Amino acid sequence: MVPILLNLKSNIELNMSTRLSTQANLGTFDHKKEKVAVMRSNMELLLLQSTIIGASVGLLSSVLSLIPSSGPTLGVWRFAEQSVLLLAAGLGCTLLGSAIIGVLICGTVSISH
């Protein structure tokens, strides 16, 4: 599950770099106002998509933890604690990672232009 979701996250970031490169080649980056607007909208889209992926990772992990194992089953409160922790970890990691990579992509495309 983890490699598939990391590949999905990388694919989203690759699409962002492609969109920005296309806008730079079309001349949108020639004007500072347009460049900032395009970069901001692409960062917002990247962070929205990353939020959806992070939430789905946390929720999917929580659901998978319900599969019975050889050990004792979890209580409702323990399950809720673990679910919130998984959701927070999934959201935090994807948002932080995507924000850093998004800024690097914006900077690279801007400098290359």
Side-chain angles (χ1 to χ4, degrees):
M1 178 177 79
V2 172
I4 293 169
L5 290 170
L6 288 176
N7 189 23
L8 176 63
K9 186 177 164 304
S10 298
N11 191 11
I12 290 170
E13 292 157 352
L14 178 66
N15 285 336
M16 178 187 168
S17 65
T18 305
R19 285 190 308 268
L20 287 177
S21 297
T22 301
Q23 290 298 317
N25 287 327
L26 289 174
T28 307
F29 278 21
D30 293 340
H31 306 287
K32 186 175 180 177
K33 255 187 170 175
E34 289 180 31
K35 177 171 78 170
V36 170
V38 167
M39 285 186 181
R40 181 178 176 182
S41 63
N42 276 288
M43 279 295 291
E44 289 172 355
L45 179 62
L46 176 70
L47 292 176
L48 174 69
Q49 292 170 335
S50 296
T51 301
I52 293 169
I53 291 172
S56 63
V57 167
L59 292 174
L60 186 59
S61 298
S62 296
V63 169
L64 289 176
S65 72
L66 292 175
I67 296 174
S69 61
S70 59
T73 58
L74 294 174
V76 175
W77 292 111
R78 183 72 177 145
F79 172 74
E81 288 175 359
Q82 286 185 355
S83 296
V84 169
L85 180 64
L86 284 171
L87 188 61
L91 283 171
C93 291
T94 56
L95 282 175
L96 182 64
S98 292
I100 292 170
I101 291 174
V103 168
L104 290 174
I105 290 171
C106 288
T108 302
V109 172
S110 182
I111 291 170
S112 297
H113 180 261

